[in-house]
Amino acid sequence: MKRLENKVAVFVGGGSAVGSVALRAFLEEGAKVVLVDIDEKYFERTEEIRREYGEERVRTILGACTDQREMDRAMAFAIQAFGRLDILLNIAGFHGSGHIHNIEPRQWNLALDVTCSGAYRASKAAFPYMKAQGSGHIVNFASLGGRGNRSVAISYAASKAACIGLTRAMAMEMAPYGVHVVSFAPGTLDTKEFARIPEKGSTGFKLPPGGIPGMPGYTGPLLYVGQSVIKDRPVADLTEIAYALVYLSSDESDYLTGDCVDMNGGILMQP
Amino acid sequence: MKKLENRVAVFIGGGSAVASVALKYFIAEGASVLQVDVAEPYFERTRDIREEFPNRIHTFLGACTSQEDMDQAMAACEEQFGRIDIVCNFAGFHGAGDVTSVLKSQWDLAMDVTCLGIYRSTKAAFPYLKKNHYGRIMNFASIGGRANRGVSITYAASKAAAIGLTRSLALELAPYGITVNSMAPASLDTSAFERIPEHGSIPHEPPKGALTGGPGATRGGSFIPDRPLATLDEIAHALIFLCSEDSAFLTGDCLDINGGQFMQP
Amino acid sequence: MRLEHKVAAVASSGGSIGKACAQALLKEGAKVILLSKNPSDFSEFQEKEQPFLGLPVKDFTDEEEIKEKAAEAVEAFGSLDVIVNSITAVPEEGVWNEIPEESWRETFTQILTGNLIPLKYLVPSLVEKESGRIVIVSALPGRTGVPGSQFAYTAAHAGLGGMVRNIATVFGKHSITCNGIAAGQIEGQAIDPGAEGSLAGILKEKTIGTAQDVANAVLYLTDEHAAWNTGETLDLNGGRYMV
């Protein structure tokens, strides 16, 4: 028996690098998947694997998590296509750019609207189906940037932290119905295999002077609390991220809810 | 009104650098203090201020590894100052080694002093605090018990255990008007004090090639410009807060005072 | 199989978690050595033909005994890749300042020192291989205040968190990861009797977890994809404490 046999998953922001790699892991573990994203070009990344598994296992639908109706439609589509809904991965995020003194209101609003409110809208849309089934797993893709002292854009730090708070609130609300909600906070991901698709509306994030510890181009102090402690591993491998998501989406994690699961090479060790 | 007017505090490990500086501030804020430590040389550090305030600072020789010593210290405090309001647990034993090299004797001593010593002093002080339905207990922990620092395993585990013990005691003592908190600073600027070697200690060698932590990292880790270390005065101010009436609704907490090196999410 | 060709040592004080971990690791293809204070743990494993060795342990805090047992464990299948600790103790119930020192001291030592000593003698074989996974199973009171939980039990379990972070930090340079699982109330696992009733989670029909839930988390943290997980403590508690 595979780890996600007969489970139906919806990936909101499914065309992201993370969503694309998770797709393979989820399909290999037996799940059926609906990818939701805002533009067809995000789906191009997974064309090959989608062809390999066919429409019986993986479907796509356009939709933005900034619009409740589109989320409702995406979940209805999953039910229509595969008959049930077990897993919701909220991967969609908007980075934004800027610091406290110079962030444009639009960047700030959009980050909160996508990263936090988007997870809420998608969860709201999925919940009736999960409630009716009496089971479900919702995983909100947060970040170390919302958890530890990382030099990220202020919109990113705030929206990811908000997403972690939202996770706990939803976990409390949904626990009586057997629905699990967790957040997942990885450190920096190795996405070099994927050509970057610029975020719509983004002014682009500029690395803080000196860069991010452990990343190429980093010029700050080498011994640094908040650096990966694992030899030769400054960043996360997307396949590793994908398998963490498999664990968090499967029945294996049925006693886990509300938690923010870290995966960061020891950069932050929550005491 | 001063923050600690007429309060009586017991400092366990009262001859440590941090306690010696805190003593000055506690006196300035109106408290009387019983300094408890294991050997006379520790008290030398505070000779001047003791001579200045002979009626408000007393010393007592005793170890937090002995319940009897703690009981006697608290009884002496009550006898000399008439009451007890505050217990600050500064006593700690660093110890040396990582998981594969640690000696059991070092491990046992670290646990016995750094963690279990807190229990003994709290137990000894409890009857006096209970009588006044008021109390402040402050346990001096460390970032080494909280974050990814290349400290010795004795230090990391005993400080983490002390923080856990703080939460447990906070729950036990809340009904009696007693709050229990811990504080977890990063490295302190103790350059004004000559080091007194820990009795029984093997110095800790920072792990070779560790990617983080150790003295090297400590000095680069703070996010506050040009401030790698905390001054003992800053620590004392935080202590005053934790030991005053101002912190009445704070209990079971661990205060991270580390220049932003570790931010508890 | 997720742990094929791996060798795992499970050190257990005898509750349901250690046994479930050994079973799960075997099922995923690992060769397993179970060091347990409860020798009846071994019988069901030994009935079947499988790569398993049971080593009875009298006292996990006894360096001489554990040194010997650890050597046997490492020798059994030639090397070691995974170490799982599920070592706890049942504290005496009572008023916090009335429990005799020898009793709470024993609780504290059995838990905290009891977790240290097996690691002290098993970890060198991971260092030798320049790789490995360590998982330390602790209990919820170590993570947050739990009313009724005995102070020494609480402190020792909190200390395990410090131990996890320290080992992760210091041994990352050998590509060894170390993580914790802070379990809530688990069926068949002895808990702190004073905390009973303060531990349950909020999930429908799952306020109490199973040893299998813990074993699943152990698999998550020990498989090859968990190479970047380190220093973490997973709060596996059915929603009792979220952080």
Side-chain angles (χ1 to χ4, degrees):
Chain A
M1 176 104 163
K2 291 177 172 170
R3 297 169 69 189
L4 297 171
E5 194 83 45
N6 299 324
K7 301 283 187 196
V8 175
V10 174
F11 294 4
V12 175
S16 58
V18 168
S20 303
V21 174
L23 176 64
R24 177 170 289 282
F26 273 59
L27 290 172
E28 280 173 2
E29 291 298 345
K32 296 171 181 145
V33 181
V34 173
L35 299 180
V36 186
D37 219 312
I38 50 170
D39 197 308
E40 286 288 350
K41 63 178 179 268
Y42 285 103
F43 299 138
E44 282 166 20
R45 292 167 160 174
T46 53
E47 213 170 330
E48 202 176 311
I49 184 165
R50 283 189 292 113
R51 207 174 311 119
E52 185 186 326
Y53 279 86
E55 289 218 322
E56 315 81 73
R57 294 289 301 283
V58 51
R59 304 285 291 270
T60 62
I61 182 172
L62 285 176
C65 65
T66 48
D67 185 332
Q68 185 66 55
R69 280 165 308 176
E70 292 185 20
M71 287 299 97
D72 291 345
R73 199 162 59 217
M75 302 310 153
F77 174 78
I79 295 292
Q80 193 193 9
F82 298 129
R84 55 186 292 124
L85 178 51
D86 302 286
I87 298 159
L88 169 63
L89 294 192
N90 288 310
I91 310 170
F94 181 86
H95 222 110
S97 71
H99 302 288
I100 182 74
H101 59 286
N102 63 6
I103 188 163
E104 294 165 18
R106 209 182 99 74
Q107 295 283 307
W108 172 264
N109 292 338
L110 202 49
L112 287 169
D113 202 32
V114 175
T115 309
C116 178
S117 308
Y120 162 76
R121 290 189 195 96
S123 304
K124 184 182 173 190
F127 181 53
Y129 303 109
M130 294 180 168
K131 184 179 167 185
Q133 280 167 207
S135 67
H137 282 88
I138 298 174
V139 183
N140 297 322
F141 203 83
S143 165
L144 179 58
R147 221 158 141 72
N149 48 0
R150 307 288 283 184
S151 299
V152 292
I154 192 166
S155 49
Y156 191 72
S159 60
K160 289 293 191 185
C163 177
I164 295 168
L166 172 75
T167 301
R168 289 192 284 264
M170 294 201 302
M172 301 285 292
E173 303 241 7
M174 299 184 187
Y177 306 100
V179 178
H180 305 71
V181 192
V182 297
S183 53
F184 178 64
T188 311
L189 311 178
D190 183 357
T191 54
K192 63 176 180 297
E193 266 180 55
F194 292 84
R196 199 172 157 70
I197 303 175
E199 282 181 318
K200 211 163 94 178
S202 175
T203 52
F205 176 63
K206 288 164 208 74
L207 284 180
I212 291 174
M215 291 292 284
Y218 176 63
T219 57
L222 279 175
L223 284 168
Y224 185 99
V225 179
Q227 195 175 342
S228 166
V229 300
I230 302 178
K231 189 184 171 194
D232 303 330
R233 288 299 312 274
V235 293
D237 180 293
L238 287 180
T239 309
E240 293 167 358
I241 299 287
Y243 276 91
L245 295 172
V246 167
Y247 168 69
L248 296 173
S249 304
S250 74
D251 298 341
E252 294 163 15
S253 62
D254 263 0
Y255 196 49
L256 193 70
T257 198
D259 197 27
C260 181
V261 177
D262 292 311
M263 181 174 178
N264 55 39
I267 291 169
L268 171 84
M269 302 182 180
Q270 153 82 12
Chain B
M1 177 144 148
K2 292 173 178 174
K3 295 274 183 205
L4 302 173
E5 193 79 52
N6 299 324
R7 295 293 182 196
V8 174
V10 181
F11 286 4
I12 308 296
S16 60
V18 96
S20 301
V21 172
L23 179 65
K24 213 167 60 189
Y25 286 86
F26 272 59
I27 295 301
E29 290 293 346
S32 301
V33 179
L34 181 71
Q35 281 184 291
V36 182
D37 218 314
V38 290
E40 287 289 352
Y42 287 104
F43 298 134
E44 284 303 311
R45 292 167 160 177
T46 53
R47 176 187 286 277
D48 290 353
I49 188 166
R50 279 191 291 110
E51 280 171 2
E52 196 179 334
F53 298 96
N55 300 324
R56 288 176 53 203
I57 309 169
H58 295 165
T59 61
F60 187 94
L61 275 178
C64 65
T65 50
S66 154
Q67 187 64 56
E68 207 186 334
D69 281 11
M70 290 298 100
D71 290 344
Q72 283 171 5
M74 298 303 165
C77 185
E78 161 99 349
E79 195 192 308
Q80 292 164 24
F81 296 120
R83 58 187 290 133
I84 302 174
D85 302 287
I86 298 161
V87 180
C88 292
N89 289 300
F90 295 106
F93 179 84
H94 221 109
D98 62 37
V99 67
T100 59
S101 65
V102 63
L103 298 178
K104 194 147 171 287
S105 52
Q106 293 276 301
W107 172 268
D108 287 343
L109 200 50
M111 298 307 147
D112 211 23
V113 177
T114 310
C115 176
L116 301 174
I118 292 170
Y119 169 78
R120 293 191 192 91
S121 72
T122 304
K123 181 181 170 182
F126 177 62
Y128 307 102
L129 303 175
K130 190 178 161 189
K131 211 160 55 181
N132 303 329
H133 202 80
Y134 180 86
R136 295 284 179 269
I137 295 171
M138 192 296 308
N139 302 324
F140 202 73
S142 164
I143 191 175
R146 268 169 94 69
N148 50 358
R149 306 286 291 222
V151 295
S152 62
I153 192 166
T154 47
Y155 194 70
S158 62
K159 290 291 191 187
I163 295 166
L165 180 62
T166 300
R167 289 192 288 262
S168 180
L169 293 173
L171 286 177
E172 297 285 5
L173 301 182
Y176 305 98
I178 301 165
T179 67
V180 190
N181 292 289
S182 58
M183 182 195 281
S187 301
L188 308 175
D189 182 1
T190 53
S191 53
F193 291 85
E194 206 175 312
R195 199 172 153 70
I196 303 174
E198 280 181 319
H199 188 71
S201 179
I202 303 169
H204 174 63
E205 299 274 344
K208 283 191 188 68
L211 291 169
T212 60
T218 300
R219 274 144 229 279
S222 159
F223 281 77
I224 299 175
D226 308 322
R227 287 297 315 278
L229 306 173
T231 69
L232 295 180
D233 304 271
E234 289 164 337
I235 299 296
H237 286 299
L239 286 170
I240 299 277
F241 169 67
L242 291 177
C243 295
S244 72
E245 279 164 68
D246 291 347
S247 62
F249 204 54
L250 186 73
T251 198
D253 192 40
C254 179
L255 182 70
D256 290 304
I257 176 165
N258 58 35
Q261 295 177 47
F262 168 70
M263 300 183 186
Q264 153 86 6
Chain C
M1 283 195 282
R2 294 160 72 184
L3 290 161
E4 209 158 5
H5 309 302
K6 301 286 186 203
V7 181
V10 179
S12 167
S13 51
S16 59
I17 292 174
K19 221 162 62 174
C21 291
Q23 264 155 356
L25 292 159
L26 274 167
K27 206 168 149 223
E28 291 298 337
K31 304 179 178 83
V32 174
I33 305 107
L34 176 60
L35 300 102
S36 177
K37 281 172 85 172
N38 182 3
S40 69
D41 278 357
F42 307 140
S43 53
E44 65 187 272
F45 293 100
Q46 285 158 345
E47 283 161 16
K48 286 184 258 169
E49 190 81 7
Q50 51 189 354
F52 175 86
L53 175 71
L55 291 172
V57 168
K58 278 207 264 320
D59 181 0
F60 278 112
T61 68
D62 179 347
E63 277 204 275
E64 250 173 69
E65 181 193 1
I66 298 305
K67 192 177 174 178
E68 209 172 283
K69 295 278 156 66
E72 271 184 74
V74 174
E75 206 173 291
F77 301 105
S79 69
L80 208 55
D81 305 282
V82 172
I83 305 169
V84 180
N85 269 11
S86 173
I87 297 168
T88 185
V90 180
E92 181 178 333
E93 233 183 316
V95 181
W96 72 278
N97 57 346
E98 289 172 8
I99 298 166
E101 174 149 347
E102 58 275 18
S103 165
W104 57 253
R105 194 185 243 297
E106 178 71 3
T107 301
F108 186 85
T109 307
Q110 284 299 324
I111 297 168
L112 202 43
T113 310
N115 272 278
L116 173 79
I117 301 300
L119 292 177
K120 179 174 175 181
Y121 292 102
L122 290 169
V123 171
S125 58
L126 303 184
V127 174
E128 206 173 293
K129 273 192 122 170
E130 289 287 318
S131 72
R133 300 270 188 276
I134 303 167
V135 181
I136 300 176
V137 181
S138 64
L140 172 65
R143 299 285 288 169
T144 186
V146 172
S149 185
Q150 203 228 55
F151 67 91
Y153 178 89
T154 300
H157 278 283
L160 292 178
M163 209 157 102
V164 164
R165 293 187 285 278
N166 183 260
I167 296 171
T169 305
V170 177
F171 288 83
K173 65 174 185 281
H174 296 293
S175 301
I176 294 167
T177 70
C178 180
N179 292 284
I181 298 169
Q185 193 168 346
I186 301 296
E187 229 174 272
Q189 181 78 2
I191 57 160
D192 178 351
E196 196 156 14
S198 315
L199 290 170
I202 59 170
L203 279 165
K204 185 183 87 173
E205 290 162 16
K206 204 155 172 83
T207 55
I208 292 172
T210 63
Q212 188 60 46
D213 292 321
V214 180
N216 289 335
V218 165
L219 292 179
Y220 161 59
L221 292 169
T222 54
D223 91 15
E224 58 162 323
H225 297 298
W228 215 47
N229 286 72
T230 203
E232 193 204 348
T233 297
L234 193 71
D235 289 294
L236 190 71
N237 54 44
R240 166 63 176 76
Y241 171 67
M242 305 174 178
V243 69

